[in-house]
Amino acid sequence: PNTQVPVISGLDRTLDPSLKMVKHKPQLIVQWIQKFMLLEQKPGGMLKHVPPPILTRTFKGLSDGLDAYAKAERLVQVPMPFPYVQLVHFLLL
């Protein structure tokens, strides 16, 4: 079997404007990756010989990563209470 892995060399210029217009860039990029994987599973695609359990874990990994990103983004948006911040600064001194 062919063991070479194709390398993504950059963003296609036709996709660049859509990436600039969207607010949630990570979700769009994950969607592009999933679409690519689905299209390449068909006969003649790069992923046609990959067993389904492996692809399932790949989709699960992408989903888990996007979920972790959403949780981290939510955490950044919640402000810390001022007394808590002052206490942490005092304890770190």
Side-chain angles (χ1 to χ4, degrees), residues 13-85:
R13 294 293 172 211
T14 60
L15 300 175
D16 197 27
S18 62
L19 190 59
K20 288 180 181 177
M21 291 174 23
V22 73
K23 182 179 178 182
H24 303 286
K25 291 173 179 54
Q27 288 88 340
L28 179 64
I29 292 172
V30 167
Q31 183 182 13
W32 287 345
I33 293 170
Q34 289 176 341
K35 182 179 177 183
F36 170 77
M37 289 172 59
L38 285 173
L39 292 174
E40 292 300 321
Q41 277 183 292
K42 295 179 181 177
M46 286 187 287
L47 303 176
K48 66 181 178 184
H49 296 297
V50 178
I54 302 296
L55 284 174
T56 302
R57 293 298 298 166
T58 305
F59 281 110
K60 175 87 169 96
L62 284 169
S63 175
D64 290 346
L66 199 54
D67 187 43
Y69 174 81
K71 287 179 182 177
E73 191 175 49
R74 200 174 322 128
L75 183 65
V76 168
Q77 292 174 354
V78 175
M80 289 293 206
F82 181 73
Y84 178 77
V85 172

Side-chain angles (χ1 to χ4, degrees), residues 80-93:
M80 289 293 206
F82 181 73
Y84 178 77
V85 172
Q86 292 302 311
L87 181 66
V88 168
H89 281 291
F90 175 75
L91 292 175
L92 288 174
L93 291 176

